[in-house]
Amino acid sequence: MKGRFWPTWSELKELLPTIIKASVLGVGIGILPGAGGDIGSWVGYNSAKNGSKHKELFGNGSLEGIAGSEAGNNAVCGGALIPALTLGIPGSAAAAVFLGALTVQGFASGTNLFGKYADMTYSILIGFIAANLLMGVFGWLLSRYAVRFAALPSGILIPVILSLSVIGSYAIRNNVFDVYVMLVFGAIGYLMKKFDFPAAPAVLALILGPMAERNMLTSIQMCKGNIFVFYFTRPLCLFFMLLIVVTLLSPILQKKKKKAAENT
């Protein structure tokens, strides 16, 4: 299988805003404890799709979709180290293991990050840069072979993916009911694709839903049932509520703006 590995200069210039935006979003998601690369990947993909002029290419090998997804996914790793090194709060499972290894070596998060533990901190930063460079080199060497999997016939891929999905859903809790849930949501996903419903918001809702529910219950316990006073008298809560409203209204405003531009 032959083809170009590196994008052209014009393609790179077109993808650069998408990469920067998805990377910033990925770092922000990485800072949030427990979020992980899955959310960063989907948020990056969704932001690339929303900002694209060629939405019809998404799902059919869009370079913007690949760049947004991978930039968001990779940026989560660096973002997860920020709370781990500064506050001792790991942003992901990998960061938790990494922080545990550093603690065994006598490292302590906090104000001494660039003072008492400067040598270890700079070693981590340099090692992180080296790891990314090596990942790029190995990706370049292996991608020409790995891409062959994408060219496999659907008759081979679908049974393999379905088998792994059944095994994985059963192995989590050793419960057959989870397999039925997987099959039902697989059918729902197929119908969503068939009728052009975006999958990214649904996947994000499934990932973030349990986290939002747990934190909602925690906040209700903290405010002792007095929810309105607790939420509507705190500037930070009001700020996030405003962000939620803006996020919900932005698609409607974008559609109106697009229609107005077409009419003119």
Side-chain angles (χ1 to χ4, degrees):
M1 185 176 295
K2 296 182 180 180
R4 286 186 295 107
F5 179 80
W6 300 105
T8 63
W9 178 245
S10 60
E11 288 173 341
L12 188 60
K13 285 196 296 184
E14 189 177 346
L15 293 174
L16 193 58
T18 299
I19 293 171
I20 293 172
K21 183 167 66 172
S23 297
V24 171
L25 290 170
V27 170
I29 291 166
I31 293 172
L32 301 174
D38 293 340
I39 298 174
S41 180
W42 280 103
V43 169
Y45 179 85
N46 200 47
S47 69
K49 187 174 182 179
N50 289 336
S52 175
K53 297 177 182 177
H54 309 288
K55 291 183 174 62
E56 70 279 359
L57 296 178
F58 280 73
N60 297 293
S62 169
L63 289 177
E64 289 177 291
I66 296 169
S69 174
E70 290 304 312
N73 178 58
N74 293 338
V76 166
C77 301
L81 288 179
I82 295 174
L85 296 179
T86 57
L87 303 173
I89 304 172
S92 66
V97 174
F98 182 66
L99 184 62
L102 291 177
T103 304
V104 171
Q105 299 298 323
F107 179 86
S109 306
T111 55
N112 292 322
L113 197 63
F114 292 97
K116 182 179 178 181
Y117 304 107
D119 292 344
M120 192 176 292
T121 302
Y122 286 115
S123 298
I124 293 168
L125 297 178
I126 294 170
F128 199 78
I129 294 170
N132 279 275
L133 292 174
L134 288 172
M135 186 170 62
V137 171
F138 281 104
W140 175 58
L141 292 173
L142 297 174
S143 61
R144 65 187 65 189
Y145 305 107
V147 74
R148 295 177 185 273
F149 289 104
L152 288 173
S154 299
I156 297 174
L157 282 176
I158 291 174
V160 171
I161 293 171
L162 184 60
S163 301
L164 292 175
S165 299
V166 171
I167 293 169
S169 57
Y170 178 79
I172 293 173
R173 297 191 305 171
N174 296 329
N175 192 338
V176 180
F177 179 75
D178 293 341
V179 178
Y180 296 141
V181 172
M182 179 274 297
L183 293 173
V184 169
F185 276 94
I188 293 172
Y190 170 76
L191 293 174
M192 289 177 67
K193 183 175 178 62
K194 189 174 180 63
F195 293 102
D196 293 327
F197 281 93
V203 174
L204 285 174
L206 289 171
I207 297 172
L208 293 174
M211 294 170 58
E213 185 178 353
R214 284 195 301 270
N215 286 289
M216 180 71 178
L217 291 173
T218 303
S219 64
I220 291 173
Q221 291 173 352
M222 289 172 62
C223 67
K224 298 179 180 179
N226 199 351
I227 300 174
F228 291 101
V229 174
F230 187 80
Y231 286 155
F232 291 97
T233 57
R234 295 170 178 265
L236 192 60
C237 293
L238 293 172
F239 172 72
F240 281 112
M241 286 181 184
L242 180 63
L243 284 181
I244 292 170
V245 172
V246 170
T247 303
L248 292 173
L249 293 179
S250 59
I252 300 171
L253 296 176
Q254 286 177 0
K255 281 187 178 180
K256 288 186 176 180
K257 186 178 178 180
K258 187 177 179 180
K259 283 184 180 178
E262 290 175 352
N263 293 332
T264 55

